[in-house]
Amino acid sequence: MIIQILDHITDEIKQIRIDVFMKEQGFEDEFDEIDETAKFVLLSIDGKPAGTCRYFPSNEEGDAHIGRMAVRKLYRGQHLGTKIMMAAENGIRRDGFKTCSLSAQVQAKAFYESLGYKAEGEEYLDEGCPHVMMRKVL
C-alpha cells in the first residue's frame, strides 16, 4: 500500500471520483475550481488506485476542509477510508491548521464520528443526497 499527498489532481484520482460519485452514486457536478488548488491524498494497492480525498483551506480561520473522500467498491471493507482520512489529517496538521471540516453524506456519518468528527447544524441536500457538516479539532 502506498499513500501519497499530491498538490495536483491526477487522472487516477479523477477516475476514482468518476467511478464512485458519478457512476455509482449519480452525482453530476463532480469537478470544480477547487481541484485547481487543493491537495490530494491517493491510496494505491499493488500499483492500482484504490481511494482518494482532497483538502483545502476553508473560509474559517485555521480550518481545512476535507472533501471527495472515496474508496473504490473493490477495496471497501478494508479500513482504507480511515487510512486516507488519517493521511489527510496529518497533512492538514503539517500545514498548520487547527481543525478540519467536511460535508458528510448522512449515510457515512457514523464512519466520520468513529474518527472523532462531530455534526454541526441541520442536514441539507447536495444534488439530492442528504449531507451534514462535521468538524474535528486536531
Side-chain angles (χ1 to χ4, degrees), residues 34 37-39 54-58 63-67 92 97:
I34 294 168
T37 58
K39 291 189 178 180
R54 70 179 184 184
Y55 62 90
F56 53 93
S58 78
D63 182 73
H65 190 84
I66 298 174
I92 288 166
F97 294 95

Side-chain angles (χ1 to χ4, degrees), residues 2-10 13 37-44 51-56 66 83-95:
I2 296 174
I3 300 177
Q4 301 170 278
I5 296 184
L6 307 167
D7 60 5
H8 62 282
I9 194 167
T10 66
I13 291 168
T37 58
K39 291 189 178 180
F40 299 86
V41 176
L42 175 61
L43 184 146
S44 300
T52 189
C53 77
R54 70 179 184 184
Y55 62 90
F56 53 93
I66 298 174
K83 292 180 184 344
I84 292 166
M85 290 295 294
M86 295 296 103
E89 289 176 12
N90 288 337
I92 288 166
R93 270 190 212 90
R94 275 194 304 273
D95 289 348

Side-chain angles (χ1 to χ4, degrees), residues 17-18 21-23 25-35 54 68 125-128 131:
R17 287 170 47 182
I18 288 167
F21 295 119
M22 299 177 83
K23 291 181 180 174
Q25 299 182 354
F27 287 96
E28 295 177 2
D29 299 326
E30 179 51 33
F31 300 98
D32 57 26
E33 67 282 349
I34 294 168
D35 287 326
R54 70 179 184 184
R68 304 304 204 263
L125 295 179
D126 184 352
E127 286 197 57
H131 282 68

Side-chain angles (χ1 to χ4, degrees), residues 103-112 123-124 129-132 134:
S103 175
Q105 291 184 15
V106 170
Q107 53 102 5
K109 182 180 172 193
F111 165 72
Y112 293 113
E123 290 181 15
Y124 55 93
C129 178
H131 282 68
V132 64
M134 301 185 81

